[in-house]
Amino acid sequence: MNVRRLISTTAVAGAVVLGLTALSACSTSDAADGGNGDKLKVTASFYPMQFLAERIGGEHVAVTSLTKPGVEPHDLELTPRQIGSISESDYVLYLKGIQPAVDDAIKQSGVKNTVDAATLTTLENHGSEVSGHDHGHEGEEEHQDEHGHEGEEAHEEHAEGDGHNHGEEGGADPHIWLDPVKYAEVAKGVGKSLEKADPDHAADYKKNTEALVGELDKLNTAYETGLKNTATKTFITTHSAFGYLAERYGLTQQGIAGIDPEAEPSPARIQEIHTIAEKEKATTVFFETLASDRTAKTLAKDTGLKTGVLDPLEGITKKSQGADYIEVMESNLTALQKALGAK
């Protein structure tokens, strides 16, 4: 476990006190006031939440992300200033379990309108090998509320660990944004929560939500069509972040080293991946933009496979294959089609 990925609860608590002492009484006012007529102050934990807040909030919100571009979300350590800014927010959007430091700070912030995206859809357990044929999605909509609470409990449990559990040890997989259908469910929930937090602009939030959900529906259709007929259904990745995506489109994700995208695979795992690649006719080892490509290149050299980028969309930088979520997901689709031999 990378100790840099955790910030102690004690440190957070101390910083929260520092942040809170600097606040005026008006910071606890209802979010509907929007700062006396100004834009709603929204704090997003990292890029997938920032994208939703900006697209749905539009001109009525001022969004601040706690995770700067190029920073691995799991490595985030909050400054007292950042923790203070959370407390001053009108609305906070985050995903419990990804960033323990953020979870702790939000819990102690006293902000009325806090939304955990994990409660807006269903969460599942995914190991390093995830097949799209293992689980069905029938009835997902009608069980959404019921499972939302279960997802929250699962996050509570694995937030106690290293903060980035991918399902290998029974924790719920947090990477819901990489499935356009689940991300659309989250978007709908965010839209409704913004309508309640700022009813004066409810009509605009509703319109923006519908527009975004429409884009996500088109993205889902593009994936369904583009990955329907492929030479292989198996892809190999250094970061086991694509379990929901694999499940949605009938693919199988083979993660190299589990939760740490930069961990060196064991010789046994390299041999296992080599065997899987030969059997399943996999061609490519994918790495991500915010982590080193060393592991992927090592494995590719040892197994004779190619390397490529499959972006888990935890942040947008100049290296990203697109300017926003939609564009990078389209680039991911192109990469998968090439690697899987789409016909």
Side-chain angles (χ1 to χ4, degrees), residues 289-290 309 311 313 315-324 328 331:
T289 52
L290 295 184
V309 173
D311 196 330
L313 265 159
I316 296 288
T317 70
K318 292 180 180 178
K319 293 182 180 180
S320 300
Q321 302 296 308
D324 64 13
V328 175
S331 295

Side-chain angles (χ1 to χ4, degrees), residues 6-316:
L6 296 179
I7 180 171
S8 70
T9 302
T10 303
V12 170
V16 167
V17 171
L18 288 175
L20 288 175
T21 55
L23 301 183
S24 64
C26 66
S27 65
T28 59
S29 62
D30 288 348
D33 294 339
N36 295 321
D38 295 333
K39 293 184 178 183
L40 200 72
K41 294 179 182 177
V42 176
T43 295
S45 56
F46 71 130
Y47 179 70
M49 303 298 103
Q50 176 189 350
F51 179 76
L52 291 180
E54 290 177 342
R55 289 295 303 270
I56 296 172
E59 64 182 8
H60 304 302
V61 300
V63 182
T64 300
S65 178
L66 295 173
T67 309
K68 294 180 180 178
V71 174
E72 264 270 340
H74 333 300
D75 292 336
L76 183 67
E77 295 181 7
L78 295 177
T79 65
R81 185 185 184 90
Q82 284 180 304
I83 294 172
S85 73
I86 294 174
S87 300
E88 293 176 315
S89 303
D90 296 318
Y91 179 100
V92 178
L93 178 60
Y94 72 115
L95 180 58
K96 189 179 288 186
I98 285 280
Q99 300 164 293
V102 173
D103 296 348
D104 289 340
I106 290 172
K107 189 184 298 182
Q108 298 177 52
S109 69
V111 176
K112 177 183 176 183
N113 294 287
T114 60
V115 178
D116 173 13
T119 66
L120 302 177
T121 185
T122 53
L123 273 76
E124 298 167 17
N125 297 335
H126 293 138
S128 58
E129 176 183 355
V130 181
S131 171
H133 306 289
D134 292 341
H135 309 284
H137 285 267
E138 294 180 9
E140 186 172 288
E141 287 285 347
E142 58 184 322
H143 291 98
Q144 184 174 328
D145 289 337
E146 176 187 339
H147 290 287
H149 295 293
E150 293 175 11
E152 188 170 358
E153 290 170 5
H155 274 288
E156 287 283 4
E157 290 172 10
H158 83 269
E160 297 296 321
D162 64 9
H164 194 216
N165 192 308
H166 293 244
E168 293 90 335
E169 298 175 0
D173 182 352
H175 298 86
I176 48 179
W177 66 91
L178 291 167
D179 174 354
V181 176
K182 284 191 175 294
Y183 200 46
E185 289 176 4
V186 174
K188 292 174 185 176
V190 170
K192 290 178 181 176
S193 67
L194 279 172
E195 288 177 41
K196 291 180 180 178
D198 184 15
D200 288 348
H201 302 113
D204 285 345
Y205 295 142
K206 185 177 180 65
K207 182 180 69 174
N208 293 344
T209 299
E210 290 173 352
L212 177 56
V213 169
E215 287 186 59
L216 293 173
D217 287 346
K218 288 181 181 178
L219 184 65
N220 174 50
T221 300
Y223 266 79
E224 283 182 337
T225 304
L227 298 173
K228 186 173 292 184
N229 297 309
T230 56
T232 180
K233 296 294 183 183
T234 300
F235 65 97
I236 301 165
T237 176
T238 56
H239 188 179
S240 302
F242 301 91
Y244 291 108
L245 186 150
E247 186 175 339
R248 178 66 62 188
Y249 303 111
L251 308 178
T252 299
Q253 167 187 253
Q254 285 287 349
I256 297 172
I259 62 176
D260 188 344
E262 296 189 35
E264 291 288 350
S266 66
R269 183 57 176 162
I270 289 177
Q271 183 55 49
E272 188 178 10
I273 291 291
H274 183 61
T275 301
I276 291 169
E278 285 189 336
K279 181 181 177 182
E280 303 298 334
K281 298 180 181 178
T283 65
T284 307
V285 180
F286 286 114
F287 61 95
E288 60 181 90
T289 52
L290 295 184
S292 168
D293 61 358
R294 184 179 68 250
T295 300
K297 287 185 174 179
T298 298
L299 183 61
K301 182 180 179 182
D302 291 343
T303 58
L305 300 172
K306 301 172 185 176
T307 59
V309 173
L310 198 61
D311 196 330
L313 265 159
E314 293 174 342
I316 296 288

